[in-house]
Amino acid sequence: MSIYTGPVFEMCRNQFLQIADHLQIGPDERDRLLYPKRAIAVSCPIHRLDGSVTLYQGYRVQHHLSIGPTKGGTRFAANLDLGEVAALAVWMSWKCALAGLPYGGAKGGVAVDPASLHPQELEALARRYMQEMIPFVGPHTDVMAPDIGTNEQVMAWFMDTYSMYQGRTVTEIVTGKPVGSGGTEGRREATGLGVVHLIGRALEKLGQDFSGRSVIVQGMGNVGGVAALELHRRGARIIGAGDHTASYYDPKGLDVEALLAHQGKHRVLAGFSEELAIPSEQLLEQPCDVLVPAAVERVINGENAGRIRCRILAEAANGPTTPEADKVLAERGDEIFVIPDILCNSGGVIVSYFEWVQDLQQLFWHRGEVLSRLHALLDRAFEEVTSRAAREGISNRMAAMAIGVQKVRDAKRIRGLFP
Ligand code: NAD
């Protein structure tokens, strides 16, 4: 029996079992590699503007402490539950290990729709959540970052709350902060730019470049919005884009800048155009060269995987493709080049790591240095994944996860049962 339940954790567990079989990991090691070291659940009551009090449930899961502190995002989303947070923490461990970062994975969040809160209520909730987490986090214990529903401002509130309790400014407690508050150049764009860099590497492998390539992006937030704009700037055609409120499709190419300007003004894509609107469930199924799911988990599943029509699947979101969908895609035999999530979106945690290093040293790098170091780590991971996949005749996803799991396993073997 486990406290980690639900479809997202089940998906993560299934993936792990496949890797464990591939790496011939015995029963003694399996549970220790899969199940989190620690899970914290907290109640976060806040005063609402109307004078009432509402209580929100918060979580933080720290997967393993065998390599260094844990590291991971904080998600504010209405239906968040412990199983989802735990799965995201596990994936984060493999992602950090694959990128060669000295971290275990973590994830946290609050079950709340941030759009339902006034900015003052959001600040109260962010501060209360961090206050509840203070005994369990620290610059050398667990370092938070943004994820769905949180942003630079929320990270600044986290940092300020933690700092006030310490009696000094501790910028290294969170990453993804504004540059003026100890953040790093390039962090805001890091995940999206990393996705585009890796799409470039995949296109190279196929003997192609960005020019005229058709792209569909699901989720136009921090990751998808940056990726769409950069792809457009590099000459690709964004033929489809959507968020949780609306989806648009134009085979001639959407006006990405106008789309993002509309989103900037109205917070959502709904209302951009009636003429170009398509039902959101059809967005992922339109033919394109590059498909970029950049929203939530399990959007490509056993039901729709047969209808996906792309050459490159760049998994900007965490866990967008279920193991059932992987099977369907593999059986189709039309060779979609998958850039698996733990590689594809690792630019975020890589630049978060750079931010942490800079904060610890109080020595800051310029944007060019951040991006060239980012590209170097992404290139190394991309080569490792694609060469292992070719060598062992396995998918890019299996190769990426095998590398991540193996590195965590090696660290645990050396240290013993404690961490
Ligand atoms: P965000 O909140 O900035 O944006 C999320 C976007 O997805 C929004 O446009 C939202 O409308 C859309 N969306 C949500 N539910 C949807 C649905 N059901 N259908 C279609 N669109 C939907 O979040 P983000 O930071 O851009 O994160 C997006 C994904 O990338 C998540 O899976 C996250 O875990 C992953 N990720 C983010 C980072 C980072 O640095 N922010 C790093 C690594 C991975």
Side-chain angles (χ1 to χ4, degrees):
M1 266 309 276
S2 160
I3 55 171
Y4 306 106
T5 55
V8 186
F9 192 79
E10 203 42 39
M11 166 176 161
C12 169
R13 202 174 80 87
N14 286 338
Q15 288 176 335
F16 172 75
L17 293 176
Q18 275 183 39
I19 295 300
D21 288 345
H22 181 70
L23 296 175
Q24 298 181 326
I25 296 175
D28 278 4
E29 280 182 288
R30 288 192 179 209
D31 283 357
R32 228 157 44 86
L33 278 168
L34 175 64
Y35 289 107
K37 173 79 184 163
R38 206 176 273 151
I40 302 131
V42 294
S43 294
C44 302
I46 61 160
H47 289 292
R48 306 298 299 269
L49 288 187
D50 65 5
S52 64
V53 171
T54 307
L55 187 141
Y56 296 95
Q57 190 78 60
Y59 307 98
R60 185 81 184 160
V61 173
Q62 298 164 348
H63 181 227
H64 77 84
L65 306 171
S66 308
I67 293 177
T70 46
K71 181 88 192 75
T74 315
R75 179 172 288 195
F76 281 11
N79 300 318
L80 193 74
D81 62 40
L82 185 62
E84 177 180 343
V85 175
L88 289 161
V90 176
W91 287 328
M92 194 67 183
S93 283
W94 303 341
K95 189 187 302 182
C96 291
L98 173 63
L101 309 182
Y103 294 134
K107 204 79 179 189
V110 177
V112 62
D113 173 7
S116 68
L117 299 179
H118 183 276
Q120 280 176 21
E121 296 170 331
L122 181 63
E123 175 173 357
L125 183 58
R127 288 183 179 280
R128 181 65 194 231
Y129 173 74
M130 175 47 103
Q131 187 190 351
E132 294 297 333
M133 288 297 157
I134 285 175
F136 310 105
V137 299
H140 297 284
T141 317
D142 183 14
V143 180
M144 294 183 185
D147 192 71
I148 293 180
T150 59
N151 55 22
E152 288 187 344
Q153 175 62 75
V154 173
M155 295 306 111
W157 287 326
F158 283 174
M159 185 271 282
D160 184 65
T161 304
Y162 186 86
S163 296
M164 289 305 99
Y165 275 81
Q166 301 300 319
R168 66 193 169 88
T169 298
V170 188
T171 51
E172 59 272 27
I173 182 62
V174 295
T175 59
K177 302 176 295 293
V179 173
S181 306
T184 181
E185 295 287 345
R187 173 62 185 89
R188 190 186 307 154
E189 317 90 284
T191 312
L193 293 184
V195 169
V196 175
H197 182 78
L198 291 167
I199 292 172
R201 295 301 312 270
L203 285 168
E204 241 172 67
K205 283 243 174 235
L206 303 176
Q208 300 175 353
D209 61 21
F210 287 103
S211 180
R213 296 274 90 76
S214 56
V215 181
I216 293 177
V217 182
Q218 182 198 45
M220 290 288 277
N222 179 31
V223 179
V226 169
L229 192 58
E230 183 65 15
L231 285 161
H232 165 69
R233 285 181 181 151
R234 293 195 189 196
R237 242 175 335 126
I238 309 299
I239 61 169
D243 71 356
H244 67 287
T245 62
S247 293
Y248 302 101
Y249 175 72
D250 183 352
K252 293 195 292 296
L254 295 163
D255 183 342
V256 181
E257 280 158 15
L259 203 63
L260 290 172
H262 175 91
Q263 178 178 269
K265 198 162 161 201
H266 303 279
R267 291 174 65 176
V268 291
L269 292 185
F272 175 68
S273 159
E274 271 183 33
E275 196 190 320
L276 302 174
I278 58 165
S280 283
E281 61 279 9
Q282 288 176 18
L283 181 70
L284 297 174
E285 298 174 16
Q286 303 306 314
C288 60
D289 294 314
V290 185
L291 181 60
V292 187
V296 289
E297 301 86 26
R298 302 189 309 120
V299 292
I300 301 173
N301 46 49
E303 196 278 313
N304 66 1
R307 298 192 296 276
I308 300 295
R309 286 175 285 169
C310 63
R311 185 70 185 89
I312 294 173
L313 175 59
E315 296 183 339
N318 284 308
T321 311
T322 65
E324 297 74 38
D326 272 336
K327 230 169 139 188
V328 175
L329 294 178
E331 278 163 9
R332 278 172 31 165
D334 50 0
E335 294 213 15
I336 294 178
F337 188 103
V338 177
I339 311 173
D341 53 358
I342 63 168
L343 170 63
C344 192
N345 65 38
S346 62
V349 70
I350 290 173
V351 176
S352 273
Y353 164 63
F354 296 161
E355 181 174 334
W356 180 70
V357 167
Q358 292 171 74
D359 283 341
L360 287 170
Q361 298 184 338
Q362 289 296 299
L363 179 65
F364 293 91
W365 313 343
H366 55 76
R367 184 182 157 87
E369 185 170 2
V370 170
L371 293 183
S372 73
R373 285 176 185 264
L374 167 65
H375 294 160
L377 289 196
L378 289 176
D379 286 341
R380 190 180 67 188
F382 183 85
E383 286 307 325
E384 248 188 286
V385 168
T386 49
S387 53
R388 183 157 183 164
R391 201 168 57 243
E392 297 182 10
I394 54 178
S395 67
N396 286 345
R397 184 186 319 287
M398 282 282 279
M401 292 195 302
I403 295 165
V405 171
Q406 185 60 51
K407 286 187 182 174
V408 176
R409 181 190 195 194
D410 291 345
K412 281 192 176 292
R413 277 184 164 175
I414 295 283
R415 289 193 54 175
L417 289 186
F418 278 165

